[in-house]
């Protein structure tokens, strides 16, 4: 097989590995000399009023601790401003006060923003209540009084989607700002015992200086955070951490959908979410008639590739605790929660029928989720969702109509288990998922797998104070169903068993199951200024995770090597910088070189807090086994990509960023240019206005157009394309109080493409493009809007591929947290789009978008949180 892979590249990179790490001795010292804070009980004193003033009687108890150290910019030096912290408790709550003194109090950045947005000055506390040295719960306040919370997952991974129910407030005086917090023990997880020892981290961020200060100093070069936390002692006789919480809701909506059989539809719904602590370690989340809608729409995307677009999860039920299911392998995951309740996987099995009124998502009848971690280090995650049978309407050629099944009754199960050993330095786990579809409809039974299961195991081991690591993961899958259903999977984008040049795979139209496996091994160093890793992975041709997970493609063996150096000690002009070199290569199971690239990235920040980035990447010529949608592997010419960006100081009330990316595809007049510009303005502390504009122009010499079935062989048509995409995303956020806000999101999107210089693929793998492609001069028929040409006494036809697509999506949301954990939403969601099979320049259709009739949904939702 022909390969350009050069083993000298990763070997040269890893000669740098053996440079002595000067920071390791400092981390050893920190592990042996941790700070300890002894919390004091408030006894019979009344609970404080959480207002940030600290004038309640109980705050006279306990002791203040200071002596914070800078984490950055000057690691280990005394903080530039003094900070003090105090921790008290009663049977049900932890009380935290952080006093942030400032020699220039008028410069304290106290701006309001959305929850979990680290805007302005902020301070907080993180508690390792499991005391497993890996996970922790963090609670923080901004100087303006906005709450932030998240979960530490170890190794600088965080879950920002986790939202606890707790109280906090901030105040400001002539010398300082103060954060006061009341954290119910029900929001933490810990073993039921008389006396507790927990990990403790307290920090403060001074926005205008980009300075972070720690009560227990944690170097930036440390490979992880939680194992370096200080200790919180003295907490005795507190309540069990078992929690029982309820969140009933009521929802009313009015939808006006263009072209629907009932354009105006009013719906009322009500349901209940419950969180029940079945033990001190594990929590069961239940939903009865749940509302799994998302407030903000997905971004507009026009995908011209053969791969599925991946969208982030935004539904609260699936976001919370989702971290425990993590089993990511190079972007592939066995549990992708958006499969539950997704749009029907409608099979094309109704020949001669026009199908309409297909729902845009399946109804989730109910869902349950069990998550938790016990004191022995055992983590468990289990989620189950049941979706309803969905129907559509079909009209025959003679005008007859019937109801058809577009999605069968389906059950989705995903589970994850892992166990910590050796003080959290070794983690062993497994994952399992199962999808069952139940249907009496002959088309669904024939066209969709009746069951899909996957399972895997993983190992993560650290040594030398967690500076070095070894990670191993394996995964396997099996689909079961009718021969038609399994045949569809064999022909799908991530398999392409029908490729005529792939002798190592073949289509089996009688097969009733499809199975495969994959694996990943990664080893390297993640502590200190110099970090690196070397990775190898593979996916067998039959691996399929897409019924409940996400896999971009199967059938490859690949490797990646990466080395990075970080300088974080400020110099005369530069605050910090990071340099990264990487190399990766990939082959199919048939030995075809399907990827080969090297790259360089530089990120730097000056002492004015401006950020600069530069990246260079070179892709060598490779074979794309997916581009011809089941045809032979198509040779892609090499490409060189160069880009950079500049971002001004984000601690200012007005800041902006501009970025440019240029790609040259190795052929004349074949290139891409991407320009992005963003700006954020805070005219007042309670109002934020931001916009992001992007313009992308791509000219490419062999864009896939169509596959035409011939008598003796298939024809694969490619063409040059001139593709333009423009988008603008605008956000406006007004915060009347930290709990009361009005937020607007709007995004017009345009994408147009013109095809010319059509060619048929002659020798798909040829390096010389004159041998690879045979130019065509097809005839155009304006009546049918199609092209045709003759070859070997056959006539081949294909539709005009030119297109113009435009879309506008927007949301206006009024949000009021009128009580802790209880929220009122008033939402207006708007969507309009249009598609034309003709090319229209963006400048000519810009105004047309707002002449299209759109869809509107008005929603009022109220939920009420309470606990027992």
């Amino acid at each position: 097989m022909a390969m350009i892979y050069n083993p000298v590249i990763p070997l040269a990179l890893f000669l740098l590995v053996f440079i002595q790490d000067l920071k390791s001795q400092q981390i050893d010292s920190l592990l042996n000399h941790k700070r300890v804070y002894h919390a004091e009980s408030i006894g019979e004193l009344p609970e404080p009023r959480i207002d940030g003033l600290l004038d309640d009687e109980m705050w006279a108890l306990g002791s203040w601790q200071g002596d914070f150290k800078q984490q950055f910019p000057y690691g280990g030096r005394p903080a530039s401003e003094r900070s003090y912290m105090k921790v008290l408790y009663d049977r049900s709550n932890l009380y935290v006060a952080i006093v942030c003194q400032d020699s220039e109090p008028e410069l304290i950045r106290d701006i309001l923003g959305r929850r979990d947005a680290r805007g302005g000055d902020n301070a907080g506390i993180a508690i390792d209540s499991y005391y497993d040295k890996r996970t922790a719960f963090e609670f923080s306040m901004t100087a303006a009084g906005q709450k932030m919370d998240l979960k530490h997952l170890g190794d600088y991974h965080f879950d920002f989607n986790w939202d606890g129910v707790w109280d906090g407030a901030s105040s400001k005086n002539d010398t300082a700002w103060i954060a006061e917090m009341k954290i119910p023990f029900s929001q933490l997880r810990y073993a039921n015992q008389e006396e507790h020892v927990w990990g403790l981290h307290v920090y403060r961020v001074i926005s205008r200086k980009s300075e972070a200060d720690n009560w227990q100093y944690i170097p930036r070069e440390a490979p992880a955070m939680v194992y370096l936390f200080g200790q919180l002692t003295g907490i005795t006789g507190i309540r069990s951490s078992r929690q029982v919480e309820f969140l009933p809701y009521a929802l009313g909506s009015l939808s006006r959908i263009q072209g629907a059989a009932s354009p105006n539809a009013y719906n009322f719904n009500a349901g209940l979410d419950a969180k029940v602590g079945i033990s001190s370690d594990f929590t069961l989340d239940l939903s009865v008639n749940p509302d799994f809608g998302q407030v903000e729409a997905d971004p507009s995307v026009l995908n011209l590739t053969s791969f599925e677009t991946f969208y982030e999860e935004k539904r609260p039920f699936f976001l919370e605790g989702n971290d425990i299911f993590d089993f990511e392998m190079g972007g592939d995951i066995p549990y992708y929660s958006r499969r539950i309740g997704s749009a029907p996987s409608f099979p094309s099995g109704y020949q001669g029928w026009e199908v309409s009124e297909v729902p845009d998502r399946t109804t989730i009848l109910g869902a349950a989720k069990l998550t938790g971690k016990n004191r022995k280090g055992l983590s468990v995650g289990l989620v189950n969702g049941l979706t309803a049978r969905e129907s559509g309407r079909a009209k025959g050629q003679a005008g007859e109509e019937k109801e058809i099944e577009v999605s069968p009754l389906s059950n989705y199960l995903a589970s994850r288990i892992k166990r910590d050993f050796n003080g959290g330095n070794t983690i062993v786990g497994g994952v399992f998922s199962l999808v069952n579809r139940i249907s009496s409809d002959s088309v669904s039974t024939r066209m969709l797998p009746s069951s899909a299961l996957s399972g895997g195991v993983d190992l993560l081991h650290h040594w030398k104070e967690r500076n070095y690591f070894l990670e191993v993961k394996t995964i396997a899958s099996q689909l079961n169903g009718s021969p038609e259903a399994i045949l569809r999977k064999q022909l799908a984008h991530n398999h392409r068993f029908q490729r005529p040049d792939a002798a190592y795979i073949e289509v089996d139209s009688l097969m009733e199951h499809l199975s495969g496996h994959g694996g990943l091994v990664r080893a390297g160093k993640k502590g200190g200024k110099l970090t690196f890793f070397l990775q190898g992975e593979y996916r067998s041709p039959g691996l399929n995770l897409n019924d409940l997970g996400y896999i971009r493609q199967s059938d490859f063996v690949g490797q990646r090597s990466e080395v990075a150096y970080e300088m974080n000690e400020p110099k005369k002009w530069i605050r910090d910088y990071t340099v990264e070199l990487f190399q990766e290569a990939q082959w199919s199971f048939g030995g075809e070189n399907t990827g080969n690239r090297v790259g360089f990235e530089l990120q730097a920040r000056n002492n004015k807090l401006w950020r600069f980035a530069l990246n260079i990447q070179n892709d060598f010529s490779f074979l794309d086994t997916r581009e011809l949608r089941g045809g032979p592997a198509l040779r892609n010419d090499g490409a060189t990509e160069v880009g950079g960006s500049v971002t001004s100081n984000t601690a200012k009330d007005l800041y902006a960023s501009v970025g440019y990316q240029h790609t040259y595809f190795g052929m004349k007049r074949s290139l891409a240019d991407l320009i992005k510009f963003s700006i954020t303005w805070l005219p007042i502390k309670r109002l934020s206005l931001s916009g992001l504009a992007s313009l992308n122009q791509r000219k490419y010499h062999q864009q896939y157009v169509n596959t035409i079935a011939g008598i003796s062989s298939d024809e694969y048509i490619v063409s040059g394309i001139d593709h333009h995409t423009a988008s603008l995303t605008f956000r406006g956020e007004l915060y009347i109080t930290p709990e009361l806000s009005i937020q607007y999101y709007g995004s017009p999107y345009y994408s147009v493409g013109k095809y010319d210089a059509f060619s048929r693929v002659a020798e798909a793998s040829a390096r010389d493009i004159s041998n690879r492609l045979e130019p065509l001069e097809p005839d155009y028929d304006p009546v049918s809007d199609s092209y045709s040409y003759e070859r070997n006494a056959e006539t081949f036809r294909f539709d005009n591929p030119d297109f113009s697509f435009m879309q506008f999506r927007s949301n206006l949301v009024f949000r009021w947290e009128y009580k802790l954990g209880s929220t009122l939403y008033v939402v207006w969601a708007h969507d309009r789009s249009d598609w034309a099979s003709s090319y229209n320049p963006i400048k000519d259709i810009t105004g047309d978008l707002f002449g299209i009739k759109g869809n509107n949904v008005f929603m009022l939702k109220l939920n009420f949180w309470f606990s027992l």
Side-chain angles (χ1 to χ4, degrees), residues 117-159:
R118 293 187 178 276
D121 288 41
N122 57 86
I125 181 173
I127 302 168
D128 176 12
S129 53
Y130 287 121
Y131 206 47
D132 62 359
K133 312 296 180 66
R134 286 188 54 82
T135 55
F137 301 88
E138 182 174 312
F139 307 86
S140 309
M141 297 296 304
T142 71
Q146 185 58 271
K147 291 189 289 188
M148 304 178 293
D149 47 19
L150 57 90
K151 286 173 66 176
H152 291 245
L153 307 178
D155 302 343
Y156 292 101
H157 295 146
F158 307 97
D159 179 10

Side-chain angles (χ1 to χ4, degrees), residues 3-12 559 583 585 587 596 598 620:
M3 296 188 299
I4 308 176
Y5 171 68
N6 186 349
V8 174
I9 297 174
L11 290 175
Q559 61 83 217
Q583 168 275 332
W587 301 267
N596 202 338
V598 294
F620 300 96

Side-chain angles (χ1 to χ4, degrees), residues 366-384:
K369 180 167 57 176
L370 174 69
T371 57
K373 183 174 185 177
N374 68 15
R375 59 183 175 181
K376 295 182 179 180
L378 177 66
S379 299
V380 174
L382 178 70
V383 63
N384 193 87

Side-chain angles (χ1 to χ4, degrees), residues 704-711 713-718 758-760 776-791 793-801:
Y704 173 79
V705 175
N706 208 339
T707 300
I708 310 173
I711 296 175
S713 63
D714 293 341
E715 292 279 282
Y716 302 97
I717 309 301
V718 299
F758 295 100
S759 300
R760 61 175 295 274
L776 297 174
E777 295 184 0
D779 297 321
Y780 174 69
D781 180 5
V783 177
S784 61
D785 193 26
S786 64
Y787 292 90
S788 64
Y789 68 95
E790 292 187 1
R791 182 173 179 271
E794 283 190 71
T795 299
F796 297 92
R797 299 182 184 276
F798 59 93
D799 293 334
N800 177 14

